[in-house]
C-alpha cells in the first residue's frame, strides 16, 4: 500500500470505520480482542479495501427490514491483522487516531510481556539438566563432555 492509498484508507476508516474491543472466553480464561472494520453499501469500495490492504475478511449483511434500508458489505480484521492495519493508517488518521493507538499500545505491551516471560523462564533454567534427562539412552561421552564444558561456563 502506498502513501496515497493509506491516506485514503485512513479517511475512509475515520468516516465509515469502527475500531472495537471485546472479550472472548475459553474454558479457563478470557482474553481481549481488537477488531477494525469498514462497513458500506457499495461492494466495490470494500473489494478495493481488501485488495489494497491484502488481508482481512469480507462479510455481506443481507437486506435488513425497513424502508430505505440497503444491504451492507463489511471488511474486518482482528488480532495481529488489526495491529498491522492500525500501523499502516495511524499517521493519516484524525478522528479515530486514539482508537488505533489503543490497539497498537495493547499489542505492543502484550509482546513486551511475552518477551519478559521468556527471560523469566530462562532465569529458572537448570544448568544441570543432563541429570534430569529421562531418555532411554545415556549421553555419549563426547556430548557429556560438551555439557560439562557448558556447565563450567555458566
Amino acid at each position: 500500500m502506498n502513501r496515497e492509498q493509506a491516506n485514503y484508507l485512513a479517511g475512509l476508516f475515520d468516516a465509515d470505520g469502527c475500531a472495537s474491543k471485546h472479550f472472548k472466553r475459553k474454558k479457563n480464561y478470557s482474553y481481549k480482542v481488537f477488531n477494525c472494520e469498514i462497513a458500506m453499501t457499495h461492494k466495490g469500495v470494500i473489494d478495493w479495501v481488501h485488495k489494497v490492504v491484502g488481508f482481512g475478511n469480507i462479510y455481506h449483511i443481507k437486506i435488513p427490514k425497513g424502508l430505505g434500508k440497503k444491504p451492507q458489505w463489511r471488511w474486518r480484521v482482528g488480532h495481529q491483522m488489526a495491529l498491522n492495519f492500525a500501523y499502516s493508517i495511524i499517521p493519516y488518521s484524525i478522528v479515530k487516531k486514539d482508537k488505533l493507538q489503543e490497539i497498537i499500545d495493547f499489542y505492543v505491551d502484550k509482546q513486551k510481556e511475552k518477551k519478559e516471560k521468556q527471560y523469566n523462564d530462562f532465569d529458572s533454567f537448570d544448568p544441570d539438566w543432563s541429570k534430569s534427562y529421562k531418555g532411554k539412552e545415556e549421553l555419549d561421552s563426547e556430548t557429556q563432555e560438551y555439557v560439562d564444558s557448558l556447565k563450567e561456563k555458566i
Side-chain angles (χ1 to χ4, degrees):
M1 153 180 4
N2 62 35
R3 180 181 289 181
E4 186 178 289
Q5 291 169 330
N7 202 343
Y8 184 80
L9 269 172
L12 196 61
F13 186 74
D14 281 350
D16 294 322
C18 173
S20 62
K21 80 179 161 192
H22 58 278
F23 291 90
K24 289 206 171 196
R25 294 182 188 198
K26 294 285 185 179
K27 288 182 180 180
N28 299 331
Y29 63 95
S30 64
Y31 58 96
K32 200 182 298 188
V33 176
F34 283 89
N35 290 324
C36 291
E37 178 178 284
I38 297 175
M40 303 186 84
T41 58
H42 191 276
K43 185 180 186 303
V45 175
I46 296 297
D47 288 338
W48 178 84
V49 169
H50 187 260
K51 180 182 172 191
V52 168
V53 175
F55 50 83
N57 296 307
I58 296 176
Y59 301 95
H60 180 250
I61 307 302
K62 295 182 182 180
I63 301 173
K65 294 180 182 178
L67 188 61
K69 305 279 183 159
K70 295 181 179 180
Q72 191 178 75
W73 295 90
R74 294 180 183 181
W75 170 83
R76 183 183 300 159
V77 291
H79 299 284
Q80 190 70 31
M81 289 186 290
L83 173 65
N84 294 342
F85 178 70
Y87 268 132
S88 62
I89 68 165
I90 196 166
Y92 312 104
S93 179
I94 297 169
V95 177
K96 295 196 171 88
K97 190 175 219 117
D98 293 339
K99 291 280 190 178
L100 295 169
Q101 190 63 52
E102 184 181 354
I103 293 170
I104 291 169
D105 292 343
F106 174 76
Y107 285 108
V108 167
D109 289 346
K110 192 173 181 180
Q111 289 171 351
K112 284 180 184 176
E113 288 173 10
K114 190 174 183 180
K115 284 185 180 180
E116 287 173 4
K117 184 177 185 286
Q118 288 173 345
Y119 291 133
N120 290 340
D121 288 347
F122 182 76
D123 290 340
S124 64
F125 173 70
D126 179 16
D128 206 15
W129 62 271
S130 62
K131 289 183 180 175
S132 63
Y133 176 72
K134 296 181 180 178
K136 294 180 180 178
E137 301 174 12
E138 294 291 321
L139 296 175
D140 63 10
S141 61
E142 185 177 326
T143 306
Q144 187 63 48
E145 287 175 19
Y146 178 72
V147 169
D148 291 339
S149 70
L150 288 177
K151 286 182 198 175
E152 290 172 9
K153 290 179 183 178
I154 294 176

